[in-house]
């Protein structure tokens, strides 16, 4: 039996639920929005652990789940919990919902069960340059990067690397922008907070989803620097299935292993010289967007992986 | 041996360590979070092969060159970035500065006194369940601990009056608290509490019956070289009920052992 955690109408979780049904893999859904209606027990008695979830009147021993898919959104933003919004469930139920979700996250980090992905391991994405140092160990190149709060250092770097882009250092989502003359007036603020600059590369985006030891590569054709926001700029994005060289597939699998992320979305970039760079590894990929546009059955691979559990290792 | 101590502005332990090392003629420098936040220049560069070089120039003129650090003893957990008056900007700046610092520490991996972990700067490191799992795996005894969202599961735990913030620590044990008039945590009642400090898997004082081998195993599992175990006496036996991963108030004997460990080349 597998456990799927998140909001069932959200596309990645929705596809996983449908795939489990199609493959007859028994699945329990932990709907974050109904967490206040569930119960949970975690305990250590005489040095032995026991944990169970009670969902819709049924009790599930946590150790009996072969695998868990974690697609949780920050519970502070759930309409049931955020006060003064339409679905607010009141203080008492909101506290219960928060408590159960907090403890579930802590259990996920400590359990020996197969988790895709453990919240603790997802933290590598909280610092992109930290994560890229690990990615580089897998053999993938990373874009030359400078993080500075000093304009003179930036100018010197710009002289050797010509065109630069800038983006957030942390997991806070930012739109990747070209560092052009438009931003010159804002650079005086650089002294207050260091910013991440990277050499702008020429080539094409490839998203690779790793699911256990399987990979699904998608080429992304877009005219804008950050294809996630192409619609904002009135441009189209075309997604097609891509075959990657064996050594790149191997490097992607190694990145997934080094980061301990059995499910991940790797943002690759291929230059005209056939060099592969990695921008980052997304620990909670919205794979549904790629599956729906290319027909790659990532969801089925995921639920099969969870059903095999620790036998994958 | 050069030792670089990176610490919050008011970290008494870091100041004691710095003082002790200087007294013993170790070339040690102390750099505070405030000095790092307001450095004249941060230059953190990563090559396409993942090679890192960091050069930080502080306002007092001191230079931190990552390539020239022998040993780094880090105590900084976060950057509050209080110079950003707007709360949203401050939150963003704190995330960014912490992310930069995380990468800086990763670049120092081989010289850091304690190994770097992904939970290094997060709340996840205080996960009591993980601590318990590691303790039991290492063969150390733990106090009973129970969590439930439904008080019916533990009828023996009495209901308590709520405090204004919805929580109240119960006198029955340090891990018992009442949430929303429902008992969510409970543990054994215990009175006799002690703490022991571990430096490099060695207990600085009394072992209280815990096996040295198990403590060493536990240190490896939690990947810490300096921490405190909180013990309570239950049924005439000491068991673990908590771990402090960032001890502050320690004896001068512990400071000495810690400093010797930090400044001994074979240990780093």
């Amino acid at each position: 039996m597998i456990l799927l955690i998140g909001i069932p109408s959200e596309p990645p979780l929705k596809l996983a639920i449908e795939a489990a049904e199609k493959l007859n893999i028994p699945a329990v859904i932990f709907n974050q929005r109904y967490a206040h209606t569930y119960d949970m027990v975690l305990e250590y008695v005489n040095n032995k652990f026991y944990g169970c979830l009670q969902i819709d009147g049924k009790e599930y021993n946590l150790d009996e789940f072969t695998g868990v898919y974690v697609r949780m959104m920050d519970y502070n933003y759930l309409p049931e919990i955020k006060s003064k919004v339409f679905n607010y469930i009141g203080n008492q139920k909101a506290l219960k919902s928060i408590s159960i979700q907090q403890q579930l996250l802590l259990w996920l980090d400590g359990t020996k069960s197969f988790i895709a992905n453990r919240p603790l391991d997802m933290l590598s994405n909280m610092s992109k340059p930290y994560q890229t140092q690990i990615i580089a160990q897998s053999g993938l190149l990373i874009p030359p990067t400078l993080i500075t709060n000093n304009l003179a250092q930036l100018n010197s770097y710009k002289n050797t690397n010509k065109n630069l882009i800038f983006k957030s250092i942390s997991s806070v989502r930012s739109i990747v922008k070209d560092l052009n003359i438009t931003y010159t007036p804002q650079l005086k603020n650089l002294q207050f907070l260091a910013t991440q600059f990277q050499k702008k590369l020429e080539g094409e985006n490839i998203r690779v989803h790793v699911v256990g030891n399987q990979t699904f590569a998608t080429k992304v054709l877009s005219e804008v620097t950050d294809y996630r926001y192409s619609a904002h700029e009135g441009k189209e994005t075309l997604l097609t299935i891509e075959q990657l060289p064996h050594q790149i597939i191997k490097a992607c699998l190694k990145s997934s292993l080094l980061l301990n992320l059995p499910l991940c979305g790797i943002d690759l970039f291929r230059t005209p010289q056939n060099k592969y760079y990695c921008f980052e590894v997304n620990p909670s990929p919205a794979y549904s967007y790629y599956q729906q546009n290319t027909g790659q059955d990532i969801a089925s691979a995921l639920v099969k992986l969870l059903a095999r559990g620790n036998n994958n290792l | 041996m050069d030792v670089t101590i990176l610490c919050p502005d008011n970290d008494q332990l870091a100041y004691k360590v710095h003082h002790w090392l200087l007294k013993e003629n170790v070339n040690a420098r102390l750099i505070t979070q405030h000095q790092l936040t307001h450095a004249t220049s941060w230059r953190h560069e990563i090559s396409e092969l993942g090679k890192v070089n960091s050069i930080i120039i502080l306002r007092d003129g001191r230079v931190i060159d990552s390539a020239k650090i022998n040993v780094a003893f880090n105590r900084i957990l976060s950057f509050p970035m209080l110079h950003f008056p707007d709360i949203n900007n401050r939150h963003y700046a704190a995330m960014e500065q912490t992310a930069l610092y995380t990468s800086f520490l990763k670049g120092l991996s081989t010289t850091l006194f304690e190994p770097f972990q992904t939970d290094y700067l997060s709340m996840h490191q205080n996960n009591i369940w993980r601590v318990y799992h590691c303790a039991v795996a290492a063969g150390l005894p733990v106090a009973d601990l129970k969590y439930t969202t439904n008080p019916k599961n533990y009828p023996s735990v009495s209901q308590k009056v709520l405090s204004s913030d919805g929580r109240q620590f119960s006198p029955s044990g340090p891990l018992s608290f009442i949430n929303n008039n429902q008992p969510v945590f409970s543990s054994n009642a215990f009175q006799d509490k002690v703490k022991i400090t571990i430096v490099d898997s060695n207990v600085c004082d009394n072992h209280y019956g815990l096996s040295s081998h198990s403590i060493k195993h536990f240190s490896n599992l939690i990947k810490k070289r300096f921490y405190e175990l909180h013990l309570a006496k239950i049924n005439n036996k000491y068991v673990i009920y908590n771990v402090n991963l960032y001890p502050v108030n320690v004896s001068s004997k512990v400071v000495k052992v810690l400093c010797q460990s930090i400044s001994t080349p074979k240990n780093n």
Side-chain angles (χ1 to χ4, degrees), chain B residues 60-119:
Chain B
D60 61 12
R62 287 185 294 169
V63 177
I64 306 166
D65 182 342
S66 60
K68 293 179 181 166
I69 290 179
N70 291 135
V71 180
F73 180 54
N74 177 59
R75 300 271 295 171
I76 297 174
L77 297 175
S78 62
F79 286 82
M81 306 300 274
L82 298 175
H83 57 297
F84 284 84
D86 176 81
I87 193 161
N88 291 325
N89 287 341
R90 193 188 311 150
H91 180 68
Y92 174 73
M95 297 262 305
E96 291 288 284
Q97 186 68 25
T98 303
L100 166 58
Y101 191 67
T102 304
S103 184
F104 165 70
L105 289 181
K106 175 69 181 163
L108 296 180
S109 284
T110 54
T111 57
L112 273 178
F113 176 68
E114 291 187 307
F116 190 89
Q117 300 177 74
T118 50
D119 59 340

Side-chain angles (χ1 to χ4, degrees), chain B residues 149-167:
Chain B
T149 49
N150 188 345
K152 287 176 190 164
N153 290 310
Y154 297 114
S156 62
V157 179
S158 60
Q159 299 274 317
K160 299 285 191 308
V161 178
L162 280 176
S163 59
S164 58
D165 65 353
R167 291 179 177 189

Side-chain angles (χ1 to χ4, degrees), chain A residues 255-266:
Chain A
S255 279
S256 155
L257 268 178
L258 289 172
L259 293 163
N260 204 18
L261 297 172
L263 169 69
C264 58
I266 301 179

Side-chain angles (χ1 to χ4, degrees), chain A residues 43 92 109 153 170 277, chain B residues 43 48 96 124 133 154 180:
Chain A
E43 63 178 30
Q92 188 154 339
D109 275 338
Q153 297 285 357
S170 68
Y277 287 82
Chain B
R43 182 188 171 90
E48 64 178 18
E96 291 288 284
H124 289 254
H133 291 328
Y154 297 114
N180 219 26

Side-chain angles (χ1 to χ4, degrees), chain B residues 181-216:
Chain B
N181 220 21
Q182 292 183 337
V184 289
F185 264 110
S186 70
S187 63
N188 315 69
F190 43 79
Q191 299 292 325
D192 192 1
K193 293 179 284 180
V194 293
K195 66 175 186 183
I196 57 175
T197 311
I198 316 293
V199 178
D200 272 336
S201 300
N202 296 312
V203 180
C204 290
D205 289 300
N206 192 336
H207 277 71
Y208 291 96
L210 301 184
S211 126
S212 302
H213 176 76
S214 294
I215 289 173
K216 191 173 183 182

Side-chain angles (χ1 to χ4, degrees), chain B:
Chain B
M1 172 65 67
D2 293 344
V3 177
T4 300
I5 301 162
L6 305 155
C7 67
D9 303 339
N10 55 358
D11 184 348
Q12 292 306 310
L13 178 92
Y15 284 93
K16 283 180 191 169
V17 167
H18 184 226
H19 181 74
W20 193 95
L21 291 171
L22 291 180
K23 206 175 73 186
E24 295 297 314
N25 295 319
V26 176
N27 194 6
R29 61 180 171 172
L30 184 137
I31 294 153
T32 67
Q33 186 180 51
H34 184 268
Q35 290 169 330
L36 287 170
T37 304
H38 299 283
T40 307
S41 172
W42 268 87
R43 182 188 171 90
H44 182 63
E45 195 174 348
I46 311 177
S47 75
E48 64 178 18
L49 295 174
K51 292 266 183 294
V52 184
N53 182 246
S54 304
I55 295 178
I56 306 163
I57 302 169
L58 303 179
R59 288 200 183 269
D60 61 12
R62 287 185 294 169
V63 177
I64 306 166
D65 182 342
S66 60
K68 293 179 181 166
I69 290 179
N70 291 135
V71 180
F73 180 54
N74 177 59
R75 300 271 295 171
I76 297 174
L77 297 175
S78 62
F79 286 82
M81 306 300 274
L82 298 175
H83 57 297
F84 284 84
D86 176 81
I87 193 161
N88 291 325
N89 287 341
R90 193 188 311 150
H91 180 68
Y92 174 73
M95 297 262 305
E96 291 288 284
Q97 186 68 25
T98 303
L100 166 58
Y101 191 67
T102 304
S103 184
F104 165 70
L105 289 181
K106 175 69 181 163
L108 296 180
S109 284
T110 54
T111 57
L112 273 178
F113 176 68
E114 291 187 307
F116 190 89
Q117 300 177 74
T118 50
D119 59 340
Y120 202 63
L121 305 169
S122 89
M123 61 169 243
H124 289 254
Q125 64 185 319
N126 292 320
N127 182 342
I128 190 69
W129 300 109
R130 201 157 64 97
V131 165
Y132 266 47
H133 291 328
C134 292
V136 170
L140 294 170
V142 294
D144 285 359
L145 174 65
K146 298 170 182 177
Y147 165 85
T148 181
T149 49
N150 188 345
K152 287 176 190 164
N153 290 310
Y154 297 114
S156 62
V157 179
S158 60
Q159 299 274 317
K160 299 285 191 308
V161 178
L162 280 176
S163 59
S164 58
D165 65 353
R167 291 179 177 189
Q168 180 185 308
F169 283 86
S170 150
S172 62
L175 288 173
S176 298
F177 68 84
I178 308 300
N179 187 352
N180 219 26
N181 220 21
Q182 292 183 337
V184 289
F185 264 110
S186 70
S187 63
N188 315 69
F190 43 79
Q191 299 292 325
D192 192 1
K193 293 179 284 180
V194 293
K195 66 175 186 183
I196 57 175
T197 311
I198 316 293
V199 178
D200 272 336
S201 300
N202 296 312
V203 180
C204 290
D205 289 300
N206 192 336
H207 277 71
Y208 291 96
L210 301 184
S211 126
S212 302
H213 176 76
S214 294
I215 289 173
K216 191 173 183 182
H217 190 182
F218 179 69
S219 303
N220 290 336
L221 289 174
I222 64 167
K223 295 178 185 154
K224 292 290 286 182
R225 294 175 68 179
F226 172 51
Y227 61 93
E228 283 170 354
L229 285 176
H230 293 196
L231 311 176
K233 196 174 188 180
I234 296 170
N235 298 329
N236 291 320
K237 188 178 148 191
Y238 281 95
V239 297
I240 295 169
Y241 71 87
N242 206 357
V243 173
N244 178 8
L245 300 173
Y246 289 91
V248 177
N249 297 311
V250 298
S251 67
S252 49
K253 183 184 170 187
V254 170
V255 172
K256 184 182 171 187
V257 175
L258 176 64
C259 289
Q260 285 169 337
S261 192
I262 290 172
S263 59
T264 306
K266 66 178 170 58
N267 282 339
N268 300 300

